[in-house]
Amino acid sequence: MRDHGRETLAVLIGLAFLLALPFLAEAAGKGFYVTLFTRILIFGLAAVSLDLILGYGGMVSFGHAAFVGVGAYAVGILSWHVFDGSPLMTWPVTLEGTENAFVVWPLAMLMGGLFALVIGAISLRTTGISFIMITLAFAQMLFYLAIGLRKYGGEDGIALYNKSQLVPPIDLFDRTTFYYVCLGLLVAFLAVCRRLTRSRFGMAVQGARINERRMKALGFSPYRYKLTAFVISGAGAGLSGALLANAAEFVGPAYMSWQRSGELIVMVVLGGMGTLFGPVAGAAAFLLLEEWLADLTEHWQIILGPILLFVVVFARRGLWGWVAGQGREDR
Amino acid sequence: MLETRDLYKHFGGLVATDHVSLSIREGELHAVIGPNGAGKTTLIAQLAGELRPDGGAILFDGKDVTRTPVQRRAASGLARSFQITSVFPSFSALANVALAVQAHAGHSFRFWRRAAHDAALTGPARDALELVGLGSRAEVPAELLSHGEQRQLEIAMALATRPRMLLLDEPMAGMGPAEGASMVDLLRKLKGRYTILLIEHDMDAVFALADWITVLVHGAVIATGTPEEIRYDAEVRRAYLGEETV
């Protein structure tokens, strides 16, 4: 069985480190690490949402970046209308643009979930390679759709004039504030996923990954549970997209590129599939390596490749397996 | 309770189920025997709904279920165990059975409460484990159970779905004599409480347990009757039993 004490300790140390990071970075005079770790938290959130379907549900979605992009565009488009002063739509009701985070962030999740519902409903009729290819195809469609959005910058995307607004004293332009907002959302999402994966719903989804035939013989209809997991995952990715738009103050089609989807898979595999916390570690490892190795050579992925290979070959449950102990699912 | 009419299935030129008509009465333990390749597992797969027959009909409780998908058939009380052990290896024995309970405890869109601490699932699951003799092994991951214990777990999972009928595909496959004996004891306990269709190679077990026996050779029924009738049926002896000597 997995060593629960060790895993709990690892989570607490990780959390303590992340809580202290802005102070450490400022004290060391390396404030840009706050920005870098904000990205890590945001990509960590996207990777955790992918782990929900990839690690727990066995659904190898190769189009997860699309949902991140959808969330980012939700923020970007509404913000653009505020800047432009034009309404988002005038029929059947008039909707104005907005930068209120309490509106646009849930909306980003909703849009991520909606797109996941449509894409998942079709893709989940297939399995294996076909599923990978269909999710990839849908993501590419959205990628080119975004390029086609002339009004919203097309290929050039949208530069955000303003960040999302929370309640007044909280100013997301302050990088430390924004960092803690991202950390809070990541922790909340992890807590929700933790409950989910251990609930009846989570058991049904995991059962469908391990032995779908047996699940049907027991009387389960796996499709509906897999689709629900896919939608929840899409909503999580949408939220990370909303944060990404705020972090970069920019939204563009590149967010949805298939390379991005691949990077998210790498983060999950590197960190440890089906571990929830692992993908956060995976995101950190990936983005830190990118940061450090890119100083050495622009072909930094030549170094990343062997590292990834090493981890996959020697650690069945990725980096998190090393940290929290190798082991099978709990229970 | 379960009836097939003129069931027919072929794979290319091979006829796997050759116009099989069976009738299994409520409360009966009905054994299907036959040499390897007689089409026994193919028959069970059609009854359970994993394979669609090419012709004929399957009636469960008088209702035509020929085209009903496997999960709907399972939900209506037709439970099966697999010849090749089919469990969730990384889950504990208890979690395996709890998942089977969950399958019949309404929908699983319950997102918050931890399933492992849900007495509505673990209570019946423990009962089923006790019944098959795995009570003391509840916390052990299924992959670490012995082969015989995994076979028992198979049965416990089928029972936990609170079925009205069991389709057991060679529950004693690969078991040693001692394990086999305890499985016979278990089946004897289940007999009468459930309607059972049993596919089994072990002739001693079949003749000890069955109320009714159907003999399948090359996909076709060559004889059906009480154990006594089958034991002395000339055609059965020639086609099948003679080869193995009972």
Side-chain angles (χ1 to χ4, degrees):
Chain A
M1 302 298 271
R2 190 190 291 177
D3 189 339
H4 285 283
R6 192 169 151 191
E7 180 168 38
T8 308
L9 189 65
V11 170
L12 289 177
I13 291 174
L15 183 61
F17 171 76
L18 289 173
L19 281 170
L21 182 109
F23 301 102
L24 299 175
E26 302 291 355
K30 298 199 165 177
F32 75 93
Y33 270 103
V34 178
T35 309
L36 178 61
F37 268 83
T38 304
R39 274 176 70 79
I40 287 173
L41 295 175
I42 293 169
F43 278 96
L45 178 57
V48 171
S49 74
L50 177 60
D51 191 32
L52 208 53
I53 53 173
L54 179 64
Y56 287 87
M59 296 168 258
V60 186
S61 166
F62 202 169
H64 209 61
F67 307 125
V68 177
V70 165
Y73 266 92
V75 170
I77 288 175
L78 286 169
S79 170
W80 184 88
H81 280 284
V82 171
F83 175 68
D84 193 55
S86 61
L88 175 67
M89 56 195 236
T90 51
W91 188 92
V93 284
T94 302
L95 287 182
E96 304 286 343
T98 172
E99 284 162 345
N100 183 344
F102 294 106
V103 175
V104 290
W105 293 4
L107 188 74
M109 294 182 76
L110 185 71
M111 295 309 286
L114 266 179
F115 275 84
L117 178 65
V118 174
I119 293 175
I122 298 166
S123 309
L124 284 170
R125 308 231 167 243
T126 68
T127 52
I129 292 284
S130 319
F131 180 79
I132 298 174
M133 287 299 132
I134 289 189
T135 49
L136 173 62
F138 273 117
Q140 287 299 94
M141 269 170 55
L142 290 179
F143 172 74
Y144 285 108
L145 184 75
I147 288 180
L149 293 174
R150 282 271 177 76
K151 185 174 177 186
Y152 304 115
E155 214 162 341
D156 298 329
I158 310 165
L160 264 63
Y161 182 72
N162 210 345
K163 291 200 187 201
S164 300
Q165 309 291 315
L166 283 161
V167 270
I170 305 175
D171 177 14
L172 296 186
F173 276 106
D174 179 67
R175 67 182 174 197
T176 305
T177 305
F178 186 53
Y179 172 88
Y180 280 117
V181 168
C182 291
L183 180 58
L185 287 171
L186 174 64
V187 169
F189 188 68
L190 276 168
V192 167
C193 288
R194 182 88 165 154
R195 298 294 309 213
L196 277 183
T197 54
R198 294 173 158 196
S199 69
R200 288 191 185 197
F201 169 75
M203 295 309 286
V205 169
Q206 293 184 64
R209 178 195 80 230
I210 299 169
N211 194 341
E212 181 151 355
R213 182 176 175 218
R214 181 75 210 211
M215 287 299 278
K216 287 183 179 171
L218 288 176
F220 280 105
S221 301
Y223 177 81
R224 58 179 79 158
Y225 300 113
K226 286 162 79 173
L227 181 56
T228 306
F230 202 80
V231 169
I232 294 170
S233 173
L239 177 61
S240 83
L243 297 176
L244 189 61
N246 277 289
E249 292 171 37
F250 170 77
V251 175
Y255 287 4
M256 305 196 197
S257 72
W258 64 269
Q259 290 94 331
R260 268 291 163 78
S261 294
E263 285 172 13
L264 287 174
I265 293 178
V266 167
M267 288 172 191
V268 173
V269 173
L270 190 64
M273 280 192 286
T275 61
L276 280 189
F277 304 108
V280 180
F286 185 94
L287 292 171
L288 286 171
L289 281 172
E290 181 181 30
E291 173 71 23
W292 293 331
L293 297 178
D295 282 348
L296 301 176
T297 163
E298 60 178 303
H299 304 296
W300 64 279
Q301 292 186 329
I302 290 178
I303 307 171
L304 175 76
I307 292 175
L308 183 64
L309 220 86
F310 183 80
V311 171
V312 170
V313 170
F314 290 102
R316 203 166 56 84
R317 294 179 79 83
L319 296 174
W320 195 249
W322 276 330
V323 175
Q326 300 285 335
R328 54 189 64 82
E329 278 101 318
D330 51 351
R331 263 181 66 137
Chain B
M1 171 152 241
L2 184 73
E3 198 183 337
T4 70
R5 287 185 189 153
D6 226 14
L7 205 62
Y8 183 78
K9 176 85 194 170
H10 68 95
F11 299 106
L14 178 77
V15 177
T17 307
D18 192 358
H19 302 285
V20 169
S21 295
L22 285 178
S23 177
I24 296 145
R25 288 175 289 270
E26 186 151 9
E28 174 181 78
L29 195 155
H30 188 133
V32 174
I33 61 174
N36 278 327
K40 302 181 300 268
T41 294
T42 307
L43 178 64
I44 270 210
Q46 291 172 79
L47 297 177
E50 291 184 337
L51 269 182
R52 180 157 295 181
D54 296 319
I58 301 166
L59 285 83
F60 183 53
D61 248 359
K63 281 194 290 277
D64 189 327
V65 295
T66 316
R67 301 193 166 273
T68 309
V70 53
Q71 57 268 39
R72 293 250 310 278
R73 268 188 239 194
S76 69
L78 195 57
R80 76 166 293 187
S81 77
F82 288 83
Q83 180 185 0
I84 295 162
T85 305
S86 178
V87 295
F88 302 93
S90 53
F91 289 178
S92 69
L94 183 63
N96 267 277
V97 186
L99 196 54
V101 176
Q102 189 183 321
H104 290 255
H107 63 77
S108 290
F109 289 108
R110 298 184 189 179
F111 300 100
W112 206 244
R113 185 146 170 221
R114 198 169 160 184
H117 297 167
D118 189 343
L121 298 179
T122 54
R126 278 189 194 281
D127 292 344
L129 284 175
E130 288 294 341
L131 184 64
V132 302
L134 281 178
S136 61
R137 307 280 280 160
E139 312 302 333
V140 180
E143 62 195 342
L144 300 183
L145 294 174
S146 74
H147 176 75
E149 289 172 328
Q150 291 190 5
R151 304 300 302 162
Q152 291 170 300
L153 181 59
E154 274 277 332
I155 309 281
M157 289 168 74
L159 292 176
T161 63
R162 296 216 269 144
R164 291 184 302 133
M165 176 163 181
L166 291 167
L167 305 170
L168 304 179
D169 192 356
E170 297 203 25
M172 277 163 254
M175 277 187 163
E179 288 176 332
S182 69
M183 182 61 79
V184 170
D185 285 342
L186 171 59
L187 294 179
R188 197 169 279 128
K189 268 195 270 181
L190 301 180
K191 188 180 161 176
R193 291 163 64 176
Y194 300 93
T195 309
I196 299 174
L197 181 90
L198 171 70
I199 284 182
E200 189 47 64
H201 255 301
D202 185 326
M203 288 305 134
D204 294 336
V206 166
F207 283 99
L209 290 166
D211 299 309
W212 199 261
I213 297 177
T214 294
V215 185
L216 213 57
V217 175
H218 299 310
V221 175
I222 64 159
T224 182
T226 64
E228 287 307 296
E229 287 165 5
I230 295 299
R231 196 188 288 275
Y232 298 110
D233 186 290
E235 197 182 348
V236 174
R237 295 190 77 91
R238 190 171 57 248
Y240 176 38
L241 293 179
E243 300 165 12
E244 295 193 358
T245 61
V246 188

